[in-house]
Amino acid sequence: MSAEETIYHIPVLLKPSVDGLNIRPAGVYVDVTFGGGGHSREILSRLGTDGRLLSFDQDEDAERNVMDDPRFTFVRSNFRYLHNFLRYYDVEPVDGILADLGVSSHHFDDCERGFSFRFEGNLDMRMNKRAGMTAADVVNTYDEERLADLFYLYGELKNSRRLAAALVKARGFRKIETISQFLDVVSPLFGREREKKDLAKAFQALRIEVNREMDALKEMLQAAIRALRPGGRLVVITYHSLEDRMVKNIIKAGNVNGKVEQDFYGHVQTPLKAVNNKVIVPDEEELERNPRSRSAKLRIAEKIGGTGNGK
């Protein structure tokens, strides 16, 4: 692993996640969250000369980590467009798809991106800096009810209505454009013993809304089912209960709502089967090396039946 890649992002659950792909040397694989390239490099190290890897990332910063390898293709796009680009490159069906849904340490440490309350900067939070809506836009334009809903649904904050009311009142005097301005409004509403955890949840809620993360994840998971060949693997690392629930449901029922359908004989109709019934989590050694991996959960599923090409 290069020094540059380590600075950008330390890959989480690297070996167990790539092991979970059950890589065939001549197979076709997709890393839908390229970031610093740690998982992609490990996949390439296990491919033969006829293997192929496509890696997605919508962030222009990630493109600096691209490898010069004839087996590798970088796709500058949100992973919600997985199906479109696999058709464009004519690689469906594929043998495995990996997604590490965590925000990279690079984003948290870049004060200009506005992902962390540890730094002063603009309230931005866009994964794709070419996209239009920022966190400041959300805070200053959403009505009180909509703000309360997003803090409750995406941040799981019990005082979401108080937060929304305080923000609407404050923005009546001046726009809330920076991290410090946002903290001035919401910090007094959190108890000192839970302040950092609750602030992290508030920032998570805004980030999810700005980047439409749950919609994008739903579309990617549905596209992944179509793209995988029978026996192909879906490997997903999640970091909070909302995304983990969606991944768990897609594996159990083939849909993000978790609604199980059965045939006439009572057999569950789902295109996937879980490879690991118990989630895989980082061991103590990894937690010591990379504390941000603490909330990571790894789920692995295998495609069963069907044609796998979505055509």
Side-chain angles (χ1 to χ4, degrees):
M1 186 188 306
S2 71
E4 180 182 354
E5 192 276 331
T6 304
I7 292 170
Y8 188 99
H9 182 63
I10 302 173
V12 173
L13 291 165
L14 178 61
K15 188 176 186 300
S17 62
V18 179
D19 285 350
L21 288 171
N22 196 27
I23 288 177
R24 299 189 306 114
V28 179
Y29 296 88
V30 184
D31 177 357
V32 298
T33 49
F34 178 70
H39 290 101
S40 286
R41 286 184 177 86
E42 182 64 23
I43 293 170
L44 281 173
S45 74
R46 304 188 190 192
L47 289 177
T49 55
D50 295 328
R52 188 168 183 186
L53 171 65
L54 281 78
S55 295
F56 286 66
D57 207 296
Q58 62 183 326
D59 186 358
E60 66 183 28
D61 290 352
E63 201 161 358
R64 302 171 189 168
N65 303 312
V66 166
M67 297 83 73
D68 182 15
D69 190 307
R71 302 168 299 170
F72 175 76
T73 301
F74 180 76
V75 182
R76 172 87 183 277
S77 176
N78 189 305
F79 61 39
R80 71 190 310 163
Y81 303 115
L82 173 66
H83 178 64
N84 294 350
F85 280 98
L86 293 185
R87 291 188 65 185
Y88 175 79
Y89 287 104
D90 194 26
V91 293
E92 281 190 317
V94 301
D95 296 283
I97 297 171
L98 182 146
D100 177 359
L101 302 178
V103 180
S104 74
S105 52
H106 166 77
H107 288 122
F108 280 123
D109 294 338
D110 186 346
C111 60
E112 294 182 2
R113 304 297 291 272
F115 285 96
S116 174
F117 53 84
R118 294 184 293 124
F119 307 108
E120 173 59 326
N122 292 327
L123 202 59
D124 193 321
M125 301 194 193
R126 291 173 298 172
M127 292 288 189
N128 180 357
K129 290 185 283 189
R130 299 176 298 179
M133 185 175 67
T134 67
D137 294 328
V138 171
V139 169
N140 288 289
T141 63
Y142 279 24
D143 63 35
E144 186 174 324
E145 183 177 1
R146 193 174 179 188
L147 279 174
D149 285 346
L150 80 88
F151 284 125
Y152 183 76
L153 293 173
Y154 296 155
E156 299 178 293
L157 289 163
K158 294 179 181 178
N159 63 342
S160 61
R161 296 198 178 281
R162 289 182 63 206
L163 285 174
L167 288 167
V168 170
K169 182 178 179 181
R171 77 191 191 194
F173 295 97
R174 68 168 181 175
K175 288 185 70 174
I176 302 169
E177 298 179 311
T178 67
I179 292 172
S180 61
Q181 290 169 350
F182 180 78
L183 294 179
D184 286 343
V185 178
V186 302
S187 292
L189 301 177
F190 297 131
R192 183 175 296 274
E193 69 283 354
R194 287 191 53 84
E195 183 179 20
K196 288 186 177 180
K197 287 186 177 181
D198 286 342
L199 281 175
K201 289 182 176 181
F203 272 64
Q204 171 184 289
L206 287 173
R207 190 199 77 228
I208 289 173
E209 178 68 12
V210 166
N211 297 288
R212 298 286 191 264
E213 291 182 24
M214 302 313 294
D215 291 338
L217 177 57
K218 176 181 177 181
E219 292 177 33
M220 184 275 288
L221 291 172
Q222 292 171 335
I225 290 176
R226 297 179 65 186
L228 286 168
R229 71 170 71 251
R233 294 285 182 89
L234 174 66
V235 176
V236 187
I237 305 170
T238 66
Y239 294 83
H240 58 77
S241 60
L242 298 173
E243 59 192 18
D244 187 61
R245 189 179 306 125
M246 191 177 288
V247 174
K248 183 179 180 180
N249 285 343
I250 204 89
I251 294 173
K252 178 182 73 172
N255 60 74
V256 296
N257 300 317
K259 184 179 180 182
V260 175
E261 296 184 4
Q262 299 178 333
D263 64 14
F264 179 78
Y265 300 100
H267 300 132
V268 175
Q269 300 296 289
T270 177
L272 299 173
K273 66 176 180 180
V275 172
N276 60 322
N277 291 316
K278 184 178 180 181
V279 295
I280 298 170
V281 297
D283 57 23
E284 289 301 320
E285 182 181 345
E286 177 163 358
L287 289 173
E288 185 175 342
R289 184 175 69 252
N290 185 12
R292 284 198 177 118
S293 68
R294 185 166 301 278
S295 58
K297 295 180 179 180
L298 172 63
R299 295 186 185 274
I300 305 168
E302 187 172 292
K303 176 79 173 281
I304 52 178
T307 61
N309 61 11
K311 298 178 181 178

